[in-house]
Amino acid sequence: MTLNVCLAGATGWAGSELARGLAVADGLKLVSAVSRKHAGATLAQALGDERLDAPVFATAAEALSKPVDVFMEYTRPDSAKANILAALEHGAHVVVGTSGLSDEDYARIDEAARAKGRAVLACGNFALTMVLLQKFAEQAAKYIPSWEIIDYAYEGKPDAPSGTVRELAGRLGKVRQPEPGLPLEKTNGVRETRGGTLGGAQVHAVRLPGFVLGAEVIFGMPDQTLTLRHNAGSSAKPYVDGALLAIRKVSGLAPGLHRGLDKVLEL
């Protein structure tokens, strides 16, 4: 059985690499794409790859006029929610690679997915090394009561923290709430230097040239620390295999929202 895929954000940094991956993936067919800049063209014309004959549309609603089994969302936070809801309305399952959506956004998406009997798999990161960091960190949180998270990204990344770190903080907060040594309200000096609170933990977002994407969680106990860190390079290739797996597996999940690539991995 071949799954028809619509890719929103198909000409972006991550989306274009995924489009090339879809072109050679068994059992998957890219039938439409969303990119305002290249609307009216084909992906072959937009990306210079003759294997990609899918038409490009300006909006998700237009792209979904073609029969679609799975909608892949890889655009921007300000358009992602509307795209996802449109895909669910058209009866497609959805994989979300866009970061920056809020918990309130995901609550609305979960409600819509359940109403339509479709699954949404939202992944803050499709890289296997990040998935493993999340799982290792969840195990560590069972035994170590205190941790903080550092979110690394390039200087122009607008959302802070990243979707990857939002997911990580949320997962750890469900294992247990960290135990701060000093309550934030007792901080002397500039309280903001202690970061923002997410999932009960302090999160620090670094936005500087030289970084692409990365996440670090530091666990602390008396006289010992444990540091887990994921770093991504300048290529989007590490995210392709995970995204293809998510696209293949999302329809097998129960209706509603699911967070994390590990939901379709045997970990």
Side-chain angles (χ1 to χ4, degrees):
M1 175 183 173
T2 297
L3 294 174
N4 290 335
V5 180
C6 174
L7 175 57
T11 59
W13 176 72
S16 59
E17 198 65 55
L18 177 56
R20 295 183 179 96
L22 284 164
V24 296
D26 293 334
L28 301 176
K29 180 174 177 57
L30 184 57
V31 297
S32 60
V34 180
S35 172
R36 288 189 178 92
K37 183 178 179 180
H38 298 92
T42 65
L43 269 182
Q45 295 168 320
L47 299 180
D49 190 329
E50 62 183 13
R51 300 171 300 174
L52 299 169
D53 58 356
V56 182
F57 298 90
T59 67
E62 293 173 304
L64 288 161
S65 63
K66 290 181 169 291
V68 171
D69 299 303
V70 180
F71 181 87
M72 178 72 207
E73 165 53 41
Y74 239 153
T75 61
R76 299 174 62 86
D78 56 1
S79 57
K81 180 181 174 182
N83 288 348
I84 295 165
L85 294 176
L88 292 170
E89 184 64 29
H90 280 76
H93 298 281
V94 181
V95 176
V96 183
T98 304
S99 64
L101 291 170
S102 67
D103 290 339
E104 291 75 16
D105 291 332
Y106 278 124
R108 174 69 184 94
I109 289 166
D110 181 49
E111 179 184 11
R114 291 176 185 275
K116 289 294 181 179
R118 293 294 180 266
V120 176
L121 178 58
C123 302
N125 199 303
F126 290 105
L128 181 58
T129 50
M130 185 61 213
V131 177
L132 291 172
L133 183 151
Q134 290 173 334
K135 298 302 289 186
F136 296 156
E138 286 175 321
Q139 293 299 311
K142 295 178 181 179
Y143 301 98
I144 305 176
S146 301
W147 62 86
E148 298 198 7
I149 301 172
I150 305 175
D151 171 30
Y152 300 97
Y154 57 93
E155 60 181 333
K157 186 171 179 60
D159 52 310
S162 66
T164 297
V165 166
R166 284 180 181 274
E167 184 177 315
L168 174 60
R171 284 169 170 266
L172 295 182
K174 290 179 180 178
V175 175
R176 68 194 294 182
Q177 289 291 293
E179 302 172 7
L182 180 74
L184 288 179
E185 60 270 17
K186 293 187 178 180
T187 300
N188 293 325
V190 183
R191 180 175 169 179
E192 288 78 9
T193 60
R194 292 290 295 114
T197 305
L198 193 64
Q202 295 312 110
V203 178
H204 313 267
V206 177
R207 297 291 181 267
L208 286 172
F211 290 111
V212 180
L213 294 170
E216 181 176 1
V217 54
I218 304 173
F219 294 89
M221 297 178 70
D223 291 329
Q224 56 186 318
T225 62
L226 170 67
T227 300
L228 300 173
R229 180 164 174 169
H230 157 80
N231 290 311
S234 59
S235 167
K237 291 181 179 179
Y239 311 113
V240 173
D241 288 341
L244 293 176
L245 177 65
I247 291 169
R248 287 191 171 99
K249 297 288 189 177
V250 63
S251 61
L253 297 173
L257 174 69
H258 304 266
R259 303 290 292 270
L261 185 62
D262 61 304
K263 295 299 186 296
V264 292
L265 290 173
E266 296 181 3
L267 292 176

